[in-house]
Amino acid sequence: MDSPLPDDEGNARLLAEAKAGSNAPALSVSEISNALKRTVEDRFGHVRVRGELSGFKRAASGHIYFSLKDVDAKLDGVMWKGNAGRLPFAPEDGLEVIATGKLTTYAGRSSYQIVADRLELAGEGALMLLFEKLKARLTAEGLFDTARKRPIPYLPRTIGIVTSPTGAVIRDMMHRLEDRFPSDVVLWPVMVQGDGAAAQIAAAVRGFSALTENGPVARPDLLIVARGGGSIEDLWAFNEEAVVRAVAECSIPVISAVGHETDTTLCDFAADLRAPTPTAAAEMAVPVRLDLAQQLAQNAMRLTGGLRRFVDRARERLTAQLRLLPKATDIVGARQQKADELGDRLRRGLEKRSDLSRVAFAGVSGRLSPAMLRRRVAMSEERLQALRLPTALIERQLAERKSRLMGLDRLLNSLHPESPLARGFARVTTPDGKSTIVNSAQAVTAGTVRLNFADGGVEALVQGGKAPAQKARPSSGGGSAATQQDLFGEG
């Protein structure tokens, strides 16, 4: 226990006592706060402060809250609804402004602030200027082109989320996903502000993009980059070029859910879809399962009703058409009658034809008795016997025809061109044996001839002119002598 404080005379005392004539009375917290408030407002009743807007937000009441900052200090500010509605521009973080108003204190936080009556632009803030320059450069490269945007899958099986694992953002998103359509979620924990946050976010996006379909970690069908609201300084990691390029180059469709609806980062421009809040990103990612079931049920009812109406209308049209068609009896009645008449005529014709055939058969049936057939067979056998020739006559005729055939064969052999060869004659032909030489002129012209004998042939050379005369030999008959010449010499 602390020791009692000494009094004015140096004596220690336990209880505080107010003395008459004392110039330091004990004030309550409210009294000292009010005294400070009056002092600040009296001393700084009208001031103009230049600084960069940060943490700007507009309350539902219409009042706006912000901070003015420079390199070394920060001043909270507020503008009431009436003056805020007359602002000629839309305040946003990073703008350098001049706030005109008065300083006052806020006892609830033991802080002071400026109550601004007027805000005027003083120039672009350093951060916003950097933001705009980077945005312009990346836009020129085409990173924000609409043609690069990909459609978000309607019902992703796996959703990847890049955010802080400890903040309220991931809890709100998981809760919303669970309410709408439970899905598999893969969280890649990262820092979302401060030194190193941009590098972690970019690495997480690229890591998700590099996952394979059948790897140990399921490849997401959709990626959400999320962070809660904050000042431009808090969200600056999502304006870093590394993060923007990683989002633009990601092979998985990306939803950017950074900050609140009024917060804008370059990550929003690079993503395929921007969500105003992380919770809204979860709503955009999946449909409501109950709504889907209800929609399916409604579609089934509409389909069933449509089919039923179609069938009813078709039945009505068919019934109307049937009234215009003639009756079946009118169409086929006459033909049925004609068919009946033809059937009767056919039956009568068959009966008549059968009767005629029976009469004709009865007329010839008497001639087809067994006795008559036997007589006809006997008569045929007698005629056949009469036509048979005697064997001796046939043999005599065969012998005569055989003798005549043998005579013809002998004549044929005697007249055959090769027959004389067997008796010592020779047939003279050309060397190839195809043509027969029949006179001396042909032999002289050929020069070389072939002599064909019964047992083969030889070639001979023919000399032109007459052969020398030979000594005549007396004939056997005592007649004149004959002169023998060469083979083809003239006599």
Side-chain angles (χ1 to χ4, degrees):
M1 182 175 180
D2 296 337
S3 59
L5 296 176
D7 58 7
D8 294 341
E9 297 177 358
N11 298 322
R13 52 188 174 82
L14 182 61
L15 298 176
E17 296 179 358
K19 294 184 178 181
S22 174
N23 60 355
L27 300 177
S28 65
V29 175
S30 297
E31 289 174 340
I32 193 65
S33 296
N34 291 331
L36 286 172
K37 180 180 179 68
R38 288 192 298 271
T39 301
V40 171
E41 290 179 352
D42 290 343
R43 175 66 181 82
F44 303 97
H46 180 78
V47 294
R48 300 182 74 235
V49 181
R50 179 174 183 149
E52 182 180 290
L53 280 178
S54 176
F56 178 86
K57 63 180 179 179
R58 187 183 298 272
S61 61
H63 308 319
I64 59 176
Y65 299 91
F66 55 90
S67 296
L68 295 175
K69 66 174 186 175
D70 58 13
V71 177
D72 299 320
K74 178 179 178 182
L75 174 64
D76 292 336
V78 61
M79 177 177 283
W80 307 125
K81 177 180 178 181
N83 294 327
R86 292 192 294 269
L87 285 176
F89 65 96
E92 60 183 27
D93 289 352
L95 293 179
E96 189 173 3
V97 299
I98 296 177
T100 302
K102 65 178 181 179
L103 291 185
T104 185
T105 62
Y106 182 61
R109 288 199 302 264
S110 297
S111 62
Y112 64 97
Q113 63 186 8
I114 181 172
V115 179
D117 301 323
R118 187 170 67 251
L119 286 179
E120 299 169 324
L121 290 173
E124 294 181 348
L127 290 178
M128 289 303 299
L129 181 61
L130 179 61
F131 177 92
E132 294 297 336
K133 288 182 178 180
L134 182 57
K135 177 183 176 183
R137 180 162 59 85
L138 298 180
T139 300
E141 293 182 15
L143 260 67
F144 305 149
D145 290 349
T146 305
R148 295 173 56 95
K149 309 297 183 183
R150 293 160 297 183
I152 302 302
Y154 179 70
L155 190 59
R157 292 173 299 177
T158 304
I159 300 174
I161 300 178
V162 178
T163 191
S164 171
T166 59
V169 170
I170 186 62
R171 293 194 299 271
D172 293 343
M173 294 179 68
M174 294 297 295
H175 180 69
R176 187 53 56 93
L177 289 173
E178 185 68 25
D179 288 344
R180 292 175 65 85
F181 202 107
S183 304
D184 294 336
V185 176
V186 179
L187 173 65
W188 196 304
V190 296
M191 295 172 52
V192 292
Q193 71 180 72
D195 295 339
Q200 291 187 14
I201 297 170
V205 174
R206 296 187 187 277
F208 271 127
S209 181
L211 292 176
T212 57
E213 290 292 341
N214 299 318
V217 178
R219 177 181 171 85
D221 301 312
L222 176 65
L223 188 61
I224 301 177
V225 180
R227 189 208 187 281
S231 64
I232 188 172
E233 293 87 0
D234 297 336
L235 305 179
W236 190 253
F238 297 90
N239 292 322
E240 294 286 349
E241 185 172 355
V243 174
V244 178
R245 291 190 179 278
V247 171
E249 297 169 0
C250 184
S251 60
I252 304 172
V254 180
I255 297 178
S256 176
V258 180
H260 296 309
E261 186 171 1
T262 56
D263 297 325
T264 302
T265 64
L266 295 180
C267 182
D268 299 334
F269 295 103
D272 298 294
L273 182 64
R274 177 184 180 269
T277 62
T279 305
E283 295 176 354
M284 294 177 177
V286 295
V288 180
R289 182 174 56 183
L290 295 178
D291 291 347
L292 286 178
Q294 184 177 2
Q295 184 66 39
L296 287 175
Q298 292 177 356
N299 291 342
M301 293 176 60
R302 292 174 58 187
L303 179 61
T304 303
L307 290 174
R308 186 180 295 110
R309 289 191 296 273
F310 177 79
V311 172
D312 292 342
R313 286 195 296 268
R315 185 182 294 108
E316 292 174 359
R317 288 195 298 269
L318 180 60
T319 303
Q321 294 294 331
L322 287 176
R323 297 192 188 99
L324 302 177
L325 293 176
K327 295 181 179 179
T329 55
D330 297 338
I331 297 175
V332 301
R335 296 187 180 276
Q336 285 180 344
Q337 185 176 0
K338 183 67 173 178
D340 293 339
E341 292 178 357
L342 292 175
D344 291 339
R345 290 173 58 186
L346 178 62
R347 178 177 54 78
R348 291 194 300 270
L350 290 175
E351 291 176 353
K352 183 178 180 181
R353 185 63 179 267
S354 178
D355 293 340
L356 293 175
S357 298
R358 188 180 295 108
V359 171
F361 180 74
V364 299
S365 60
R367 292 179 290 175
L368 297 177
S369 61
M372 180 178 290
L373 291 176
R374 283 193 292 271
R375 286 196 299 272
R376 288 181 67 100
V377 170
M379 293 172 62
S380 297
E381 288 179 350
E382 292 176 358
R383 286 197 300 270
L384 181 60
Q385 291 294 333
L387 292 175
R388 290 179 179 175
L389 296 176
T391 306
L393 178 62
I394 294 174
E395 291 177 352
R396 187 170 56 252
Q397 290 181 358
L398 288 176
E400 291 176 356
R401 282 173 171 74
K402 180 178 180 181
S403 177
R404 190 163 53 249
L405 180 61
M406 292 178 65
L408 292 174
D409 182 63
R410 287 193 297 272
L411 179 61
L412 177 63
N413 290 332
S414 65
L415 296 178
H416 194 279
E418 302 294 334
S419 297
L421 301 183
R423 299 195 297 273
F425 292 93
R427 187 166 60 91
V428 183
T429 66
T430 56
D432 56 8
K434 294 183 178 179
S435 301
T436 302
I437 297 175
V438 297
N439 56 50
S440 61
Q442 292 180 351
V444 172
T445 302
T448 302
V449 298
R450 182 176 179 82
L451 301 179
N452 297 282
F453 298 97
D455 59 349
V458 296
E459 292 186 357
L461 180 63
V462 179
Q463 295 181 353
K466 296 181 179 180
Q470 306 233 355
K471 186 175 182 180
R473 291 182 299 177
S475 62
S476 59
S480 60
T483 303
Q484 183 177 359
Q485 299 179 353
D486 61 2
L487 182 60
F488 297 99
E490 298 178 356

